[in-house]
Amino acid sequence: MSLRRFYVPPEMVQHPQPEISGSDAVHICRVLRLSAGDAVELFDGLGNGYRARIVSASPKRVQFHIQGTFPLMSESSVHITLAQGILKDRKMDDLIRQLTELGIDRWMPFYAARSIPVPGKKGMGTRLDRWEKIAIEAVKQCRRGRVPCIAPADDFDAMLETSAESDLKIIFWEGAPQAFDIPQSASPKPKTITVAVGPEGGFDPGEVQRAHEHGFLTTGLGPRILRAQTATLAACTLVQYRFGDMGLRD
Ligand code: SAH
């Protein structure tokens, strides 16, 4: 069986005797019943793994001795930014977990004209903390190396501006021709891709037009109208398959 893996923030990994506290420490002691001498793996969320042994363990604090480092190899060759029209909180929480498993590099929520939850900049700090925690848990569970970068929600036009640097930009829209179709010539081997999916109410035509003016290609997900959450997962999977590490490499 593979070793248990725990997250230690990058600044803590540099410490001579890194330690963790909080719920992971309780889990290590009370649930997993690991103790001094047991081998574990640590990861820093930046792509590095560490072989380590527990030096001391209490539910308040677990200390480690790092014995070696290894690269975590499960990162996608393509960096996907998932730009998501803001949905209700619970759906956003689900999505950040699922998209982390699917290997996105960056999560960029935006307020669309038809987003139901209206800009509540106040609660954004809490949401960012929660998304960060969910992403770290998902990274641990799916054994990938990097925690996606999580951006605070911004408006649609700011999202378009931020995407300017991407090699390939795709907006999924049910008004597009139905098939998922990105011509090879659009960008033969993109390294960075922005994928935009709308909120429950969909994009308004003005948004699709502005995305187009910013170099986004419009494409479909088949003849059915998918719920936003379903659409996002399907879109991300297709893009990973076509450009990332879910398909055969050439
Ligand atoms: N406006 C629609 C629902 C939007 S679905 C309505 O209520 O009738 C939410 C989002 O999922 C859309 O903005 C789009 O980005 C994506 N989506 C859903 N089905 C799609 C499809 N068949 N093709 C492309 N995108 C789709």
Side-chain angles (χ1 to χ4, degrees):
M1 205 186 104
S2 44
L3 292 175
R4 292 289 178 160
R5 190 175 285 178
F6 302 96
Y7 172 70
V8 177
E11 48 304 344
M12 177 55 86
V13 166
Q14 307 308 324
H15 199 271
Q17 203 161 81
E19 59 182 52
I20 54 179
S21 53
S23 56
D24 266 357
V26 174
H27 190 68
I28 288 174
C29 291
R30 299 249 159 90
V31 182
L32 303 172
R33 299 188 171 275
L34 298 176
S35 57
D38 285 339
V40 295
E41 285 177 1
L42 305 177
F43 71 101
D44 63 4
L46 301 177
N48 307 302
Y50 302 87
R51 286 189 304 280
R53 282 197 187 274
I54 295 179
V55 174
S56 70
S58 79
K60 281 217 168 68
R61 193 171 68 159
V62 179
Q63 291 182 305
F64 304 94
H65 171 65
I66 291 183
Q67 298 177 306
T69 168
F70 59 94
L72 293 169
M73 305 300 283
S74 49
E75 287 304 302
S76 179
S77 49
V78 72
H79 287 182
I80 300 173
T81 295
L82 203 299
Q84 175 67 53
I86 284 256
L87 310 172
K88 295 194 180 119
D89 270 348
R90 199 177 47 78
K91 293 184 182 168
M92 295 298 269
D93 290 357
D94 284 347
L95 270 180
I96 182 73
R97 177 175 57 74
Q98 295 162 318
L99 292 166
T100 302
E101 294 169 32
L102 290 172
I104 63 161
D105 182 61
R106 191 172 150 84
W107 165 249
M108 196 161 62
F110 63 87
Y111 293 104
R114 296 183 187 159
S115 279
I116 298 168
V118 263
K121 299 242 152 85
K122 218 165 43 121
M124 194 40 72
T126 336
R127 259 176 246 166
L128 284 173
D129 286 349
R130 196 173 66 235
W131 290 339
E132 176 91 24
K133 283 203 188 87
I134 295 172
I136 290 173
E137 276 312 304
V139 164
K140 194 157 86 177
Q141 176 269 320
C142 74
R143 298 181 86 78
R144 68 178 281 197
R146 275 181 196 276
V147 178
C149 165
I150 297 177
D154 216 331
D155 60 36
F156 181 75
D157 293 293
M159 182 280 283
L160 295 181
E161 296 297 333
T162 313
S163 309
E165 304 284 293
S166 282
D167 297 341
L168 182 62
K169 301 178 269 286
I170 308 172
I171 182 166
F172 284 85
W173 184 46
E174 60 281 9
Q178 292 173 356
F180 172 65
D181 181 24
I182 303 296
Q184 189 70 28
S185 57
S187 175
K189 281 197 190 303
K191 286 258 168 287
T192 51
I193 305 179
T194 298
V195 172
V197 183
E200 288 100 338
F203 285 117
D204 84 17
E207 288 173 327
V208 178
Q209 176 61 30
R210 294 207 301 288
H212 192 65
E213 286 159 11
H214 279 77
F216 276 72
L217 302 178
T218 311
T219 190
L221 285 168
R224 293 159 294 278
I225 304 288
L226 307 178
R227 284 194 166 203
Q229 206 174 329
T230 315
T232 301
L233 296 175
C236 186
T237 306
L238 284 171
V239 169
Q240 274 295 29
Y241 177 74
R242 168 81 188 271
F243 299 103
D245 61 359
M246 280 190 172
L248 290 174
R249 306 271 177 90
D250 50 27

